[in-house]
Amino acid sequence: MTTAPIYRSIFTQFLEYTQQKNIPNGRTLHAHIIKTGSTHCSYIANSLVNFYAKCHLLAEAHLAFESIENKDVVSWNSLISGYSQLGGRQNSILVMELFKKMMSQENMVLPDARTFAGVFTAASALMDSYGGKQAHTVALKLGKCEDIFVGSSLLNMYCKSGFVDDARKVFDEMPERNSISWATMISGYSMQRICDHALELFKALVAQEEEHVNEFVVTSILSAFTLPEFIHTGQQIHCLGLKHGLLSHASVGNAIVTMYSKCGSLDEAIKAFESSNNKNSITWSAMITGYAQGGDCKKALTLFSKMHFIGLIASEFTLVGVLNACSDGLAIEEGKETHAYSIKLGFQHQIYIMTALVDMYAKCGSLDDARKGFDHLQEPDIVLWTSMIGGYVQNGENESAMDLFCRMQKEGISPNELTMASVLKACSSLAALEQGKQIHATTIKHGFGLEVPIGSALSTMYTKCGSLKDGGLVFTRMPSRDIVSWNSMISGLSQNGQGNEAIELFEEMQIEGMNPDYVTFVNVLTACSHMGMVERGWDYFKKMSDKYGITPRIEHYACMVDLLSRGGKLNEAKDFIESAPIDHGLCLWRILLSACRNYHIYELGAYAGEKLMELGSLESSAYVLLSSIYKALGRLKDVERVREMMNFRGVSKEPGCSWIEIKSHFHVFVVGDQLHPEIKEIRLEVNRLSKLMKDEGYQLEFDSNFGGLEV
């Protein structure tokens, strides 16, 4: 059937306006069509839908589509492709709904290859494996899977949904493959960190169809090798890209910079960055992120300033890298400037930006700003919830973390492993065993096992709450243990008075081939300190550097001072402090001062206290202890001098604080607190218990020198 010349002319004009995305002329032509009554022609009607869809005017495309009386496959495809190509969750949902409607008994229009390409793309965006598999079944029945574009779209859907085995089956059954097919399958393996399969497939491509080795394939394979152990493989692929002349492509250059950065080879990343002739915002982002991840936050921020200076507009990924650098460098002022810049660029509703902002503010200790960022988004995703909860935990606001987690549950948001690990850490800090058990049950409910990090967090929670048996059960049942798992268990045993068991576990860890880190030695030295094993502690302290190459940190020196002090070797502790080759600040003298108070070695205590005064200590406990020591020595002028110094420096004594968990509710008490609603009943109970203690023979002795009660 041929169309009339007038229809052919209109059809040709619409094609031209569609290619140009000339909306004003297209709308004028649409008005002309309505005026002349030409909308009944299927070619013209479908061209209208296609025009509006390609111009991303989907509401108008949908209206034009609905006005077609006899919709054919082209009509449906025009609208499905429009929604699919524009992307986004809502558009992808509409694609799946249109596909079902198209196949319904009411319409009974059989889809073709173009339909399936759009549907699989939408299912991929939604990670709707169920809907995608249903469409796959229909495509198989209609024999449409042999089309290379359908096959590639199907491949992409399975890869993005994490079903790489299904994807590989589709890949192997494809009668024809192009570079996109190869790149998609390699990328699927890369996303799932199945590096050996990705490399195997890449080698097969090079051996069988080297003509398909292009920028897409090289970019995909490079994304698989972003761990330090794969640096040599990454270098080989870099060389292959050079051989094929692909380094001129910005995407390849960006992937190379990213690969070297993530592998920790910053020098190579810098060389690749500087040699790139096609730097775009992604290239700069990769290098900025590389510096940030490598711990060189200052260089990351400097590079961002340079990028801004030469007039390059930052992408959201650039800003995420910059905000991460601000987080790690605790550069809150630069973070605020970046925040303002992101608003200027219109990224204030971008979920990745907001997540990075919340993380930055939380890590910099500005929880109010972090919460404002969190509350700014009406529908925060699980990553943002986790960042905010983790921020509270990092800053010791554990009750707020628990409250936010409860709200998250009420809103029906499913947690991920990091969420649960953060909440368990909050329970650990609060010593909230009952709530910790409830969270443990929640992890089981959501199908989480005892793998890292949940296994480690559970073990830590139980041991810190004093439930060593449960902590040990979790630890032994973990399918694999990392150094954090071992450290948490050793620490738990040490802190609960089982120093010998902690040291035995340390020895077992070494037998199993797990090398200790600096945290391990903090825990082991603490165990030695609690058990009074001075010689063994010295042995571990020396082995740390001699055998394991770990340079002692301030924490290790603190453990040694505590070990010597608890063992009554106070003069040896003093000599150790003065010979320490690191800048230890106030920490070590404070430990010695406290030990001198306990052993009534007042002269040495006064020496340690004066050292703290010289260093400008602002901790009230140091002034109180030193003042008490001088009082015990009868040096009243020094007592007055210390108090005057305390007032001059604006140091105030912080009231003691404690809390208790009763029926999953926390009761917080501060010295002199009169605000608790049941304070009268509490005081009566304290008096009753005090009387019982006296009746049992316990005497409350008041130390006039130190102003404290000793039972």
Side-chain angles (χ1 to χ4, degrees):
M1 177 181 176
T2 58
T3 58
I6 183 67
Y7 293 163
R8 194 178 297 116
S9 174
I10 292 172
F11 179 72
T12 304
Q13 279 186 288
F14 253 128
L15 283 179
E16 183 182 336
Y17 294 153
T18 301
Q19 289 171 352
Q20 297 171 351
K21 290 187 171 52
N22 191 330
I23 295 172
N25 285 357
R27 281 178 169 159
T28 302
L29 187 57
H30 185 183
H32 174 71
I33 291 168
I34 295 171
K35 185 177 179 181
T36 58
S38 305
T39 53
H40 66 275
C41 173
S42 61
Y43 287 94
I44 301 299
N46 291 340
S47 296
L48 264 172
V49 177
N50 185 56
F51 165 72
Y52 283 123
K54 288 282 176 66
C55 291
H56 298 164
L57 300 171
L58 293 176
E60 293 174 66
H62 212 123
L63 284 172
F65 172 79
E66 293 296 345
S67 68
I68 301 174
E69 290 184 15
N70 298 310
K71 301 177 183 70
D72 58 14
V73 69
V74 178
S75 315
W76 290 93
N77 284 348
S78 296
L79 194 59
I80 285 173
S81 296
Y83 280 121
S84 176
Q85 288 169 7
L86 192 59
R89 179 173 178 77
Q90 195 56 43
N91 290 332
S92 299
I93 289 172
L94 286 170
V95 169
M96 303 307 287
E97 289 176 355
L98 282 168
F99 179 64
K100 290 177 184 176
K101 193 174 179 182
M102 176 185 184
M103 298 280 293
S104 67
Q105 289 184 349
E106 180 186 350
N107 295 291
M108 284 300 290
V109 176
L110 290 178
D112 62 9
R114 190 180 173 203
T115 318
F116 286 113
V119 170
F120 292 142
T121 300
S124 172
L126 292 170
M127 293 195 178
D128 180 8
S129 57
Y130 179 74
K133 284 183 177 181
Q134 285 185 317
H136 184 187
T137 303
V138 176
L140 284 170
K141 286 182 179 179
L142 297 175
K144 302 297 181 184
C145 288
E146 293 184 358
D147 183 275
I148 191 166
F149 297 106
V150 173
S152 296
S153 300
L154 182 59
L155 198 60
N156 186 53
M157 180 201 73
Y158 280 127
C159 285
K160 284 195 174 177
S161 301
F163 294 96
V164 287
D165 290 339
D166 291 318
R168 184 58 188 263
K169 188 177 179 182
V170 170
F171 179 81
D172 289 339
E173 291 175 355
M174 290 177 73
E176 181 187 357
R177 305 185 191 105
N178 58 15
S179 59
I180 295 174
S181 314
W182 285 94
T184 303
M185 192 65 245
I186 291 169
S187 181
Y189 282 132
S190 300
M191 286 189 289
Q192 298 300 317
R193 294 291 178 203
I194 309 175
C195 303
D196 53 343
H197 284 27
L199 185 59
E200 176 192 345
L201 197 63
F202 180 70
K203 287 179 178 177
L205 169 62
V206 174
Q208 299 169 22
E209 303 179 39
E210 193 168 357
E211 69 275 9
H212 287 318
V213 176
N214 61 12
E215 66 272 23
F216 304 113
V217 174
V218 171
T219 301
S220 297
I221 189 65
L222 280 169
S223 66
F225 301 104
T226 52
L227 292 173
E229 56 264 36
F230 297 128
I231 183 67
H232 296 302
T233 305
Q235 287 173 330
Q236 290 174 350
I237 297 166
H238 182 181
C239 292
L240 188 69
L242 182 64
K243 173 187 172 184
H244 284 268
L246 299 174
L247 299 192
S248 59
H249 294 278
S251 60
V252 175
N254 297 342
I256 289 169
V257 172
T258 301
M259 181 271 295
Y260 282 126
S261 298
K262 288 188 174 181
C263 287
S265 185
L266 275 181
D267 290 340
E268 294 298 324
I270 293 165
K271 287 178 185 176
F273 175 78
E274 291 178 346
S275 64
S276 175
N277 296 320
N278 294 311
K279 295 186 189 75
N280 55 21
S281 63
I282 299 173
T283 323
W284 288 81
S285 301
M287 197 64 246
I288 289 167
T289 303
Y291 276 131
Q293 291 175 342
D296 202 334
C297 304
K298 189 175 180 180
K299 283 187 179 178
L301 296 174
T302 301
L303 194 62
F304 176 60
S305 298
K306 186 177 178 181
M307 175 185 174
H308 185 62
F309 179 76
I310 64 174
L312 267 177
I313 302 297
S315 68
E316 60 267 42
F317 304 109
T318 315
L319 295 179
V320 168
V322 174
L323 289 168
N324 288 339
C326 294
S327 300
D328 296 335
L330 302 181
I332 191 166
E333 292 306 318
E334 289 85 348
K336 286 180 177 179
E337 290 173 6
T338 307
H339 185 181
Y341 183 51
S342 71
I343 294 172
K344 182 180 177 181
L345 294 177
F347 291 140
Q348 62 268 35
H349 300 295
Q350 223 282 348
I351 189 73
Y352 299 110
I353 296 286
M354 294 312 300
T355 302
L357 276 168
V358 167
D359 185 62
M360 182 274 295
Y361 280 125
K363 283 184 177 175
C364 292
S366 184
L367 285 177
D368 288 341
D369 287 319
R371 187 57 188 261
K372 285 176 186 175
F374 175 82
D375 292 335
H376 179 74
L377 287 179
Q378 293 182 347
E379 295 184 4
D381 64 1
I382 184 57
V383 179
L384 191 54
W385 281 95
T386 302
S387 291
M388 193 66 243
I389 290 170
Y392 278 131
V393 175
Q394 286 169 5
N395 287 276
E397 297 287 342
N398 298 296
E399 295 92 340
S400 298
M402 298 301 294
D403 289 343
L404 192 61
F405 178 68
C406 290
R407 180 185 144 191
M408 186 183 112
Q409 286 185 301
K410 287 177 183 176
E411 293 189 16
I413 308 294
S414 295
N416 61 22
E417 290 182 336
L418 295 178
T419 320
M420 302 311 298
S422 292
V423 175
L424 285 166
K425 188 176 180 182
C427 293
S428 300
S429 300
L430 292 168
L433 180 59
E434 290 307 313
Q435 280 197 305
K437 287 180 177 179
Q438 291 173 21
I439 301 301
H440 188 176
T442 304
T443 65
I444 296 170
K445 176 184 173 183
H446 286 281
F448 297 121
L450 293 178
E451 292 82 5
V452 175
I454 288 182
S456 300
L458 276 169
S459 176
T460 302
M461 183 275 295
Y462 280 120
T463 54
K464 282 198 172 182
C465 292
S467 183
L468 291 180
K469 183 179 178 181
D470 289 325
L473 281 172
V474 170
F475 180 76
T476 54
R477 290 175 181 175
M478 288 178 69
S480 61
R481 308 180 192 107
D482 62 0
I483 188 63
V484 177
S485 314
W486 287 96
N487 285 345
S488 64
M489 196 64 216
I490 293 169
S491 174
L493 291 168
S494 172
Q495 291 172 1
N496 284 277
Q498 297 193 19
N500 286 324
E501 289 81 355
I503 290 170
E504 286 174 10
L505 191 62
F506 171 63
E507 299 295 344
E508 182 185 333
M509 182 185 92
Q510 294 174 90
I511 292 169
E512 290 198 13
M514 179 66 69
N515 285 326
D517 64 3
Y518 81 95
V519 177
T520 316
F521 279 102
V522 170
N523 295 329
V524 170
L525 291 172
T526 300
C528 291
S529 178
H530 289 174
M531 299 302 294
M533 296 185 288
V534 177
E535 294 305 320
R536 195 159 188 178
W538 268 118
D539 183 51
Y540 284 133
F541 184 77
K542 291 171 183 174
K543 275 185 179 178
M544 182 170 55
S545 54
D546 294 345
K547 183 177 179 180
Y548 295 102
I550 299 172
T551 303
R553 302 188 185 187
I554 182 67
E555 298 96 322
H556 304 111
Y557 283 95
C559 288
M560 287 304 298
V561 173
D562 187 59
L563 173 67
L564 294 168
S565 298
R566 285 174 184 255
K569 300 178 181 293
L570 299 180
N571 285 311
E572 192 175 335
K574 168 185 167 289
D575 294 339
F576 179 79
I577 294 171
E578 292 183 329
S579 65
I582 63 169
D583 180 12
H584 50 77
L586 308 169
C587 174
L588 305 187
W589 291 114
R590 186 167 56 243
I591 297 169
L592 182 59
L593 173 62
S594 180
C596 290
R597 182 260 196 193
N598 294 334
Y599 281 95
H600 302 285
I601 310 296
Y602 297 141
E603 291 294 344
L604 184 56
Y607 180 83
E610 288 297 341
K611 284 288 185 181
L612 286 170
M613 298 305 105
E614 288 175 21
L615 293 168
S617 174
L618 296 177
E619 289 191 4
S620 60
S621 59
Y623 292 86
V624 172
L625 280 174
L626 181 58
S627 176
S628 301
I629 284 173
Y630 279 136
K631 186 177 179 182
L633 290 170
R635 294 164 58 174
L636 299 182
K637 287 185 178 180
D638 286 318
V639 172
E640 189 60 31
R641 177 175 60 83
V642 171
R643 288 178 179 171
E644 287 176 0
M645 192 184 303
M646 186 176 180
N647 292 330
F648 177 75
R649 290 178 176 174
V651 179
S652 58
K653 187 175 180 181
E654 294 183 4
C657 176
S658 63
W659 61 85
I660 187 171
E661 178 195 5
I662 301 174
K663 294 181 179 179
S664 299
H665 183 71
F666 290 97
H667 298 263
V668 181
F669 299 94
V670 179
V671 170
D673 187 7
Q674 299 293 327
L675 299 177
H676 196 281
E678 299 176 67
I679 190 66
K680 289 183 180 179
E681 292 86 346
I682 291 169
R683 288 193 175 281
L684 286 172
E685 182 64 16
V686 169
N687 290 334
R688 186 183 72 82
L689 291 172
S690 297
K691 184 177 182 304
L692 283 174
M693 290 169 68
K694 287 181 180 178
D695 292 344
E696 291 292 329
Y698 290 95
Q699 296 296 318
L700 296 176
E701 297 179 0
F702 182 75
D703 190 323
S704 60
N705 290 323
F706 295 99
L709 290 173
E710 295 181 350
V711 179

